[in-house]
Amino acid sequence: MGERFVVVPVDGGGGVTGEREHSDAVVADPAPDTGGSSSSGGTVEEKEAGEDSVFEPQDPNVVVPILEYNREPNKYGDGVPKENSPFINNTDNDKGNSYDGTNMALFEEEMDSNPMVSSLLNKLANYTNLTQGAQEHEEADDDEGPKKKAVKSPQMGTFMGVYLPCLQNILGVILFLRLTWIVGTAGILESLAIVGLCCSCTMLTAISMSAIATNGVVPAGGSYYMISRSLGPEFGGAVGLCFYLGTTFAGSMYILGTIEILLTYIVPKAAIFVAERKEDEVDALLNNMRVYGTCCLALMAVVVFVGVKYVNKLALVFLACVILSILAIYAGVIKTIFEPPDFPVCMLGNRTLQNHNFDKCLKTEIIDNVTVTTKLWKLFCKGSELNATCNEYFANNNVTLVQGIPGLTSGVISENMWSEYGPLNMLVENKKLPSLGGSDPAKDIYMPYVVNDITTFFTLVLFCVLVYYYYGSNCIMAGSNRSGDLRDAQKSIPIGTILAIATTSVIYITCVVLFGACIEGVLLRDKFGDSVKGNLVIGTLSWPSPWVIVIGSFFSCCGAGLQSLTGAPRLLQAIARDGIVPFLQVFGHGKANGEPTWALLLTAAICEIGILIASLDSVAPILSMFFLMCYLFVNLACAVQTLLRTPNWRPRFKYYHWALSFLGMSLCLALMFISSWYYAIVAMAIASCIYKYIEYRGAEKEWARYALIRLEEAPPHTKNWRPQLLVLLNLDSDQGVKHPRLLSFTTQLKAGKGLTIVGNVLEGTYLTKETESKRAEQNIKASMSAERTKGFCHVVVSSNLRDGFSHLIQSAGLGGMKHNTVLMAWPGTWRQSNDPQSWRNFIETVRETTAAHQALLVAKNVDSFPTNQDRLGEGTIDVWWVVHDGGMLMLLPFLLRQHKVWRKCKMRIFTVAQMDDNSIQMKKDLQMFLYHLRLDAEVEVVEMHDNDISAFTYEKTLVMEQRTQMLKQMQLSRTEREREAQLIHDRNTASHATINDKADTGPERVHMTWTKDKLFTERSRNRECNANVAVRDLFNMKPEWESLNQSNVRRMHTAVKLNEVVVNKSQGAHLVLLNMPGPPRNRGGDENYMEFLEVLLEGLNRVLLVRGGGREVITIYS
């Protein structure tokens, strides 16, 4: 075995420089250990070899890592350190982890694997929530690690960090480019129904997302991370890749929207391709959008490549333009009440004319008393002469001017209530105006009329709303990616997102009503504003100028495009780093600062495909299905987590319910098939193919698997860990259950979730004990039924109890369905038992669970625990967190409080601060740690100073060692043992009274079992002694004290001091949870170990000793 002791340099007057000096520092008293330890003359290697045992964790990957608190070691005046733990890590970084002092000596043998709480809290206080997530869930590059740690303290609040960015995303293309057309086509009532459906679906999804996003820190990946960690990598990968494609093509759509605004409304003359005939206009526009769109994509990709900080800076400018545009719309609506804007629409009969190539809405005009034809005449006639052959409809109908914006008080709202659906190339008409028959309308589509560019019907309009609305509302996913930039992500994300969706829902609903109340129906149905000289329709309503809306919508599309090109590569990088799709792993790499360069290149390439398609309405359809499918699975994940009541499901956001999530999921599914059933099938087919590919080729990581076969592939993720119990029951001589309350406690802890195995061991052979075994099994099952414990029963017959318990711990369960936690009762009669094997079996069981990396729960006074029918009133569950051994102490009260017996109890957490710990900072760090764990608990830090060891402690140690040595050397009957032990007690009673200067009270018999009254009496004597007497007693020690094993003295001191503070603070608690110290590595001190635990638990009613299994069982991550 390699050398484990190192020389610890000490600043000051002197230092430890050699092996002998270090050995002296470890073993302060040269007296032999009566418990069987090696003498001080032995070398360090010999002592190490003698203390090695099977229960010491051997796998470095399982042991909880040391987290230092960066404390300077305490020093005496001569510069020599106090007694150090013999287990000191041999790295410079961990020298501060060594234990100094006597207050925690009971835990010092395991301090290398179970650090002090102060060390953990300091590590967490200096921790940024990106690094740990990358280590736990992602495979971070070595080059990125040091740079990620240098993260500034996040400063963004709810308003700037979540609310405004969400507004920018939602208030985009649909509001500025399509909402007026939707109102004119579907009518006000149906538009309200469509927008209401979309807003309801988005709000329900936002509620589910808020619950998931506040259930711990969500690293990069957003929706993919949340779904994959909730439903498994197959669902997460399938939906994540679909969401990635949707986000990427959303970038294409925003870029195409930007170019459409640029070429249609800002600089129409910048078009490279110009159509000579009307039927060629569509092709020319698409070619222009391809050229300009490619240039715009290249420019945006360069901006994203240079750095996301520039995108964020530009986002503020774009956001300001969007907000000004919204205000301009409302200002324009108010202005129409007093002075409607002058935007006349030229009508030929009841048909709407495109107002591009003529100035006056007249067939002829009189100039110098001469009737001349206008430009409009030339569009419908074969010449400018008055007798020229003209279009029949043009000849039969007059032209009239209709006010495009009649105003809020005009009453036009009644005309716009109902829908006006029609086929492709249907003429946009005003049914109120007179119209004389003429040529076939189908032959007039190439005349300068405003026509439908697509066939319109309700589900198509709904589909268009879904397409454009859900591109913008993907901000509900972006919120989960901003946790690292927010001061309080768990508060900001739900509040900011839900407020943004509520605000935009109000904006959309009011705009639907106001647009229908202010704008003429034919102008509403004019998608591109051809009837008002190519102006943006919504721009004609705004005040002070249409250019406010044009510029605002242009920058809105630019900003949304940049956001898509920023978010999509990071989503792909998160999927690639998880390794679930092997051929995508190359896209997990990036620049030194973590920017996803390769993922950005792929995103730009896919985005270019959408731009080459060029048509917004052709790019969009299937993508909205991807977004709806993603929202569907977010709702499903929230509903499943809520119904399964997984231990890690502790959202800070409380206003959710599985029924709301199920409603949101159903609404998403309904919208998919109502709007376009064939596109829904295509999207689901693509997702299914990705799912099956990940299932067969990737998905090596395990997050939430439920199949029995797969349980053996890997241990469950920390977020899914729950105690799978093996309950070790004791039976009486009639094979009845001794402690049925242990089963009650099991029911309350498990609540029917997970695995429970109730086991018992009968001593003998199976051939002779078969009948008793079956009777015991029947009795146990009857007790389980009476106590409502759901699980399995397992009775083992073994030649001795120790081997039987060992077999149960090793082999209970089936395949991956094995227990990870052992629950047993404290052997309360171990002192009265005439067979020392009773307490030895208990200690060996502790060692067995440690060696098997299983957690251990020991219930003391279990018969006083509440039944399932009890309802505990206002009270507390007190957790005494002394050392960190995986977080079991945090998880168990949360699970208990899910049961109605403990539901009203509050949780209190106490931790211990040493002399050199900053208790105020520890309390703040612990409160922040609990906040990230989503646990509601009161926090108190108890200071334990390094006081001198009291005479009371020395006396208890002396009694313990003398009794132990006597029982070891003499094989006496039970009566003789009690008489001999009583003689020892009587002899030491007088000594104890003399030391405490209380001779006048008379000799008092010292009992081995210290009652509560006796305990407080003895402690009050110690408090009455003044400091001088205490110092004199310590420097004039009795001869018996000098021969005591100093290790036992220090451990007894820990037990006495810790018991004193626990009884003082938690005597009235309904339940006390306490770290269970490990048994000594040297088996010769086993009986002393039982005495230490008895002292530690004196004066407490319901106690649950908790010992971790060597792994983390609770996490701050979702």
Side-chain angles (χ1 to χ4, degrees):
M1 180 175 293
E3 176 62 43
R4 294 179 57 186
F5 298 157
V6 295
V7 175
V8 182
V10 179
D11 298 331
V16 180
T17 58
E19 183 177 323
R20 177 61 196 167
E21 288 83 354
H22 181 71
S23 178
D24 291 341
V26 175
V27 186
D29 192 278
D33 187 356
T34 56
S37 62
S38 60
S39 65
S40 61
T43 63
V44 175
E45 289 85 349
E46 292 171 347
K47 186 173 180 64
E48 171 65 17
E51 292 183 347
D52 196 13
S53 71
V54 296
F55 72 93
E56 183 176 355
Q58 301 295 326
D59 187 355
N61 295 324
V62 179
V63 176
V64 180
I66 292 252
L67 304 172
E68 71 267 20
Y69 200 65
N70 296 328
R71 300 185 303 179
E72 290 295 327
N74 291 329
K75 304 179 183 66
Y76 292 115
D78 57 357
V80 179
K82 293 183 180 181
E83 286 185 324
N84 295 324
S85 166
F87 306 104
I88 303 172
N89 287 349
N90 55 1
T91 60
D92 293 338
N93 294 333
D94 290 335
K95 286 178 182 177
N97 296 332
S98 60
Y99 166 72
D100 298 314
T102 57
N103 280 342
M104 292 295 112
L106 203 56
F107 300 90
E108 66 181 357
E109 285 191 347
E110 297 180 312
M111 204 67 76
D112 53 347
S113 60
N114 299 338
M116 293 290 294
V117 172
S118 56
S119 301
L120 172 73
L121 294 178
N122 182 66
K123 195 75 171 182
L124 292 170
N126 297 327
Y127 157 84
T128 60
N129 57 18
L130 177 64
T131 315
Q132 187 96 355
Q135 291 175 355
E136 187 178 21
H137 301 291
E138 300 172 4
E139 199 164 331
D141 291 345
D142 294 337
D143 296 336
E144 298 176 20
K147 297 185 180 298
K148 285 185 179 179
K149 292 179 183 177
V151 179
K152 292 183 179 180
S153 176
Q155 295 298 328
M156 299 186 74
T158 303
F159 188 73
M160 290 297 296
V162 180
Y163 181 74
L164 291 183
C166 284
L167 283 183
Q168 179 187 6
N169 281 350
I170 300 179
L171 300 175
V173 175
I174 184 175
L175 178 63
F176 297 121
L177 297 185
R178 296 292 185 264
L179 190 58
T180 53
W181 173 77
I182 290 169
V183 173
T185 303
I188 295 176
L189 295 179
E190 292 184 21
S191 297
L192 287 175
I194 292 171
V195 172
L197 279 175
C198 295
C199 292
S200 300
C201 184
T202 308
M203 180 63 76
L204 291 172
T205 305
I207 291 173
S208 298
M209 187 278 302
S210 297
I212 298 176
T214 58
N215 187 47
V217 179
V218 179
S223 58
Y224 159 72
Y225 181 91
M226 292 188 290
I227 295 173
S228 65
R229 270 57 176 180
S230 300
L231 298 180
E234 293 91 350
F235 277 111
V239 179
L241 284 175
C242 290
F243 191 70
Y244 164 73
L245 292 175
T247 306
T248 303
F249 278 105
S252 301
M253 194 207 70
Y254 285 127
I255 292 174
L256 292 175
T258 302
I259 303 305
E260 179 181 311
I261 294 171
L262 180 70
L263 296 180
T264 306
Y265 305 112
I266 299 179
V267 282
K269 295 182 180 179
I272 299 175
F273 302 93
V274 180
E276 297 181 358
R277 299 180 301 170
K278 181 175 173 57
E279 52 265 33
D280 297 331
E281 288 181 355
V282 175
D283 293 333
L285 177 62
L286 295 182
N287 289 330
N288 285 318
M289 295 183 76
R290 291 184 180 104
V291 174
Y292 281 99
T294 302
C295 298
C296 184
L297 172 62
L299 179 62
M300 287 185 176
V302 169
V303 173
V304 174
F305 177 80
V306 170
V308 69
K309 62 180 180 180
Y310 298 103
V311 177
N312 293 333
K313 290 179 181 179
L314 290 173
L316 293 176
V317 178
F318 298 155
L319 179 60
C321 295
V322 172
I323 293 176
L324 288 176
S325 301
I326 301 295
L327 296 177
I329 293 173
Y330 283 106
V333 170
I334 296 174
K335 185 175 179 295
T336 61
I337 301 175
F338 313 103
E339 184 182 350
D342 185 22
F343 281 98
V345 177
C346 187
M347 307 290 296
L348 177 61
N350 64 356
R351 300 179 181 178
T352 309
L353 295 175
Q354 292 185 359
N355 192 4
H356 288 295
N357 299 317
F358 61 91
D359 298 325
K360 299 178 181 179
C361 186
L362 297 171
K363 291 183 178 181
T364 60
E365 60 179 339
I366 300 176
I367 300 177
D368 296 331
N369 294 324
V370 178
T371 302
V372 296
T373 59
T374 61
K375 292 182 179 179
L376 179 60
W377 179 281
K378 297 176 183 178
L379 295 176
F380 286 90
C381 301
K382 294 182 178 180
S384 59
E385 300 82 8
L386 291 174
N387 58 355
T389 303
C390 296
N391 178 273
E392 184 180 358
Y393 189 84
F394 179 80
N396 294 339
N397 291 274
N398 295 323
V399 293
T400 55
L401 282 175
V402 175
Q403 189 58 252
I405 313 289
L408 194 62
T409 58
S410 63
V412 72
I413 186 173
S414 61
E415 302 173 10
N416 294 328
M417 279 290 181
W418 313 108
S419 60
E420 290 284 347
Y421 299 121
L424 173 68
N425 293 324
M426 185 190 80
L427 300 176
V428 176
E429 299 175 340
N430 187 338
K431 302 298 184 182
K432 296 191 304 178
L433 297 179
S435 175
L436 299 178
S439 59
D440 185 3
K443 299 179 181 179
D444 293 338
I445 59 174
Y446 297 116
M447 304 302 291
Y449 294 120
V450 178
V451 298
N452 285 350
D453 62 333
I454 56 174
T455 301
T456 56
F457 45 89
F458 175 78
T459 55
L460 178 76
V461 176
L462 172 62
F463 185 61
C464 293
V465 174
L466 292 176
V467 169
Y468 296 111
Y469 186 79
Y470 282 111
Y471 279 135
S473 62
N474 62 20
C475 80
I476 70 173
M477 298 301 170
S480 60
N481 284 332
R482 297 191 177 94
S483 59
D485 300 324
L486 302 171
R487 280 194 298 268
D488 190 350
Q490 296 187 3
K491 176 182 177 183
S492 297
I493 289 175
I495 293 177
T497 304
I498 291 176
L499 282 180
I501 293 176
T503 302
T504 52
S505 298
V506 171
I507 291 175
Y508 275 108
I509 290 172
T510 56
C511 283
V512 166
V513 176
L514 293 176
F515 291 166
C518 294
I519 304 175
E520 179 62 42
V522 292
L523 182 56
L524 286 173
R525 296 193 294 278
D526 184 2
K527 184 185 287 186
F528 301 105
D530 292 324
S531 61
V532 286
K533 294 186 180 297
N535 279 301
L536 191 62
V537 175
I538 196 174
T540 61
L541 179 63
S542 64
W543 181 86
S545 169
W547 284 101
V548 176
I549 300 297
V550 172
I551 300 300
S553 59
F554 178 79
F555 282 124
S556 171
C557 291
C558 283
L562 281 173
Q563 294 290 344
S564 296
L565 289 179
T566 302
R570 282 160 174 75
L571 177 58
L572 179 61
Q573 186 183 48
I575 297 173
R577 284 184 170 179
D578 265 339
I580 61 174
V581 183
F583 69 85
L584 290 180
Q585 291 186 7
V586 65
F587 298 107
H589 303 288
K591 294 192 295 185
N593 60 356
E595 290 294 322
T597 308
W598 293 105
L600 176 61
L601 292 176
L602 179 63
T603 301
I606 297 175
C607 196
E608 177 64 17
I609 296 174
I611 290 175
L612 293 177
I613 296 174
S615 173
L616 279 175
D617 300 317
S618 299
V619 171
I622 198 172
L623 305 182
S624 63
M625 297 301 163
F626 289 154
F627 285 118
L628 278 171
M629 194 156 46
C630 181
Y631 296 169
L632 183 150
F633 280 103
V634 168
N635 285 295
L636 177 62
C638 182
V640 168
Q641 295 268 44
T642 305
L643 292 174
L644 289 180
R645 297 172 66 184
T646 56
N648 195 57
W649 183 244
R650 305 182 300 274
R652 281 278 169 194
F653 181 77
K654 301 298 183 185
Y655 304 102
Y656 70 94
H657 193 272
W658 66 267
L660 292 178
S661 300
F662 187 79
L663 178 62
M665 180 185 69
S666 303
L667 193 55
C668 288
L669 188 63
L671 287 174
M672 288 176 65
F673 281 91
I674 289 174
S675 59
S676 179
W677 63 268
Y678 45 89
Y679 277 125
I681 292 176
V682 171
M684 296 177 75
I686 293 174
S688 299
C689 292
I690 298 173
Y691 176 95
K692 298 306 293 184
Y693 174 81
I694 294 173
E695 184 179 30
Y696 286 110
R697 295 293 303 276
E700 295 179 357
K701 295 193 175 182
E702 193 274 342
W703 290 299
R705 301 176 188 266
Y706 303 103
L708 175 60
I709 297 299
R710 294 183 179 179
L711 284 173
E712 290 189 281
E713 294 180 5
H717 191 272
T718 300
K719 68 182 289 296
N720 293 323
W721 194 96
R722 69 162 72 240
Q724 315 293 352
L725 290 180
L726 169 61
V727 184
L728 300 181
L729 283 183
N730 292 325
L731 302 182
D732 55 26
S733 57
D734 297 327
Q735 309 305 323
V737 177
K738 274 189 178 180
H739 304 294
R741 297 288 178 89
L742 201 61
L743 295 175
S744 302
F745 183 73
T746 302
T747 302
Q748 296 155 20
L749 182 62
K750 298 290 292 180
K753 301 294 190 300
L755 174 69
T756 301
I757 301 174
V758 180
N760 175 254
V761 177
L762 297 179
E763 195 168 6
T765 62
Y766 186 72
L767 294 177
T768 60
K769 295 284 186 177
E770 179 185 2
T771 304
E772 294 182 20
S773 172
K774 291 182 178 179
R775 186 167 66 251
E777 187 170 345
Q778 291 175 355
N779 292 341
I780 292 175
K781 287 182 178 180
S783 295
M784 291 173 63
S785 177
E787 301 297 337
R788 301 176 186 174
T789 303
K790 298 178 182 179
F792 307 98
C793 176
H794 194 176
V795 176
V796 172
V797 180
S798 177
S799 58
N800 59 75
L801 295 179
R802 185 202 180 287
D803 290 344
F805 287 130
S806 179
H807 295 157
L808 274 177
I809 292 172
Q810 294 178 60
S811 60
L814 174 63
M817 289 186 62
K818 292 184 67 66
H819 62 279
N820 56 29
T821 305
V822 176
L823 172 62
M824 59 191 303
W826 171 260
T829 60
W830 70 273
R831 279 176 169 158
Q832 290 75 30
S833 175
N834 57 0
D835 184 9
Q837 202 61 34
S838 61
W839 52 264
R840 286 176 183 165
N841 287 338
F842 171 79
I843 298 177
E844 289 304 314
T845 303
V846 176
R847 290 194 172 105
E848 294 273 357
T849 57
T850 305
H853 301 298
Q854 296 173 4
L856 177 64
L857 309 179
V858 179
K860 188 177 185 229
N861 298 329
V862 68
D863 293 329
S864 67
F865 277 47
T867 65
N868 293 326
Q869 288 73 36
D870 292 337
R871 298 293 181 268
L872 298 179
E874 296 294 332
T876 61
I877 300 175
D878 287 0
V879 175
W880 283 86
W881 193 25
V882 182
V883 294
H884 178 68
D885 59 354
M888 281 282 289
L889 285 169
M890 304 294 176
L891 184 61
L892 293 176
F894 171 78
L895 296 177
L896 281 175
R897 291 177 63 201
Q898 304 304 304
H899 197 274
K900 51 192 174 183
V901 172
W902 304 88
R903 189 163 294 161
K904 294 183 179 180
C905 296
K906 294 182 179 179
M907 182 177 171
R908 295 193 303 177
I909 295 183
F910 299 88
T911 190
V912 177
Q914 301 298 311
M915 178 72 74
D916 47 359
D917 289 332
N918 186 340
S919 58
I920 297 177
Q921 187 61 43
M922 279 183 64
K923 184 174 183 178
K924 293 180 180 178
D925 293 342
L926 182 54
Q927 287 173 335
M928 182 57 63
F929 181 49
L930 293 177
Y931 181 80
H932 285 305
L933 288 175
R934 292 94 62 204
L935 293 175
D936 296 321
E938 298 178 13
V939 174
E940 185 171 344
V941 177
V942 178
E943 295 184 353
M944 287 183 61
H945 302 298
D946 281 337
N947 296 334
D948 293 325
I949 298 175
S950 65
F952 175 74
T953 301
Y954 277 107
E955 279 301 308
K956 286 194 70 69
T957 309
L958 179 63
V959 171
M960 177 188 71
E961 289 195 359
Q962 289 181 345
R963 179 179 184 274
T964 301
Q965 188 173 7
M966 180 71 72
L967 295 180
K968 281 183 179 180
Q969 293 176 353
M970 302 176 63
Q971 297 295 329
L972 303 175
S973 65
R974 182 178 180 182
T975 305
E976 291 173 326
R977 286 185 184 181
E978 291 177 351
R979 185 173 64 252
E980 194 69 23
Q982 192 64 54
L983 291 175
I984 297 172
H985 299 164
D986 293 340
R987 186 177 70 245
N988 288 295
T989 300
S991 301
H992 187 70
T994 303
I995 292 169
N996 289 279
D997 201 16
K998 296 290 182 178
D1000 56 323
T1001 61
E1004 190 174 31
R1005 298 181 68 182
V1006 179
H1007 299 279
M1008 282 301 296
T1009 303
W1010 292 75
T1011 63
K1012 184 169 68 175
D1013 294 336
K1014 174 68 175 175
L1015 181 69
F1016 286 122
T1017 301
E1018 295 297 329
R1019 285 178 180 165
S1020 64
R1021 291 176 176 176
N1022 291 331
R1023 296 191 186 97
E1024 292 171 4
C1025 296
N1026 57 40
N1028 293 331
V1029 174
V1031 171
R1032 183 190 65 199
D1033 289 341
L1034 289 174
F1035 284 95
N1036 297 278
M1037 299 173 65
K1038 291 182 61 178
E1040 294 90 340
W1041 295 358
E1042 296 176 0
S1043 63
L1044 292 177
N1045 182 297
Q1046 294 303 305
S1047 177
N1048 287 340
V1049 172
R1050 290 186 298 110
R1051 284 169 170 77
M1052 183 63 75
H1053 178 70
T1054 300
V1056 170
K1057 291 283 291 182
L1058 195 55
N1059 174 260
E1060 182 179 351
V1061 295
V1062 173
V1063 170
N1064 183 40
K1065 297 286 186 180
S1066 303
Q1067 195 171 19
H1070 287 317
L1071 180 64
V1072 176
L1073 285 82
L1074 183 66
N1075 284 115
M1076 182 178 185
R1081 287 177 167 84
N1082 182 1
R1083 284 177 166 79
D1086 282 357
E1087 187 170 0
N1088 294 341
Y1089 172 71
M1090 297 296 291
E1091 289 283 358
F1092 295 143
L1093 292 184
E1094 281 285 3
V1095 173
L1096 182 63
L1097 303 178
E1098 279 179 334
L1100 298 173
N1101 184 20
R1102 299 179 188 140
V1103 184
L1104 187 66
L1105 289 173
V1106 179
R1107 186 163 173 77
R1111 62 159 294 173
E1112 296 292 335
V1113 301
I1114 195 169
T1115 176
I1116 66 174
Y1117 291 94
S1118 174

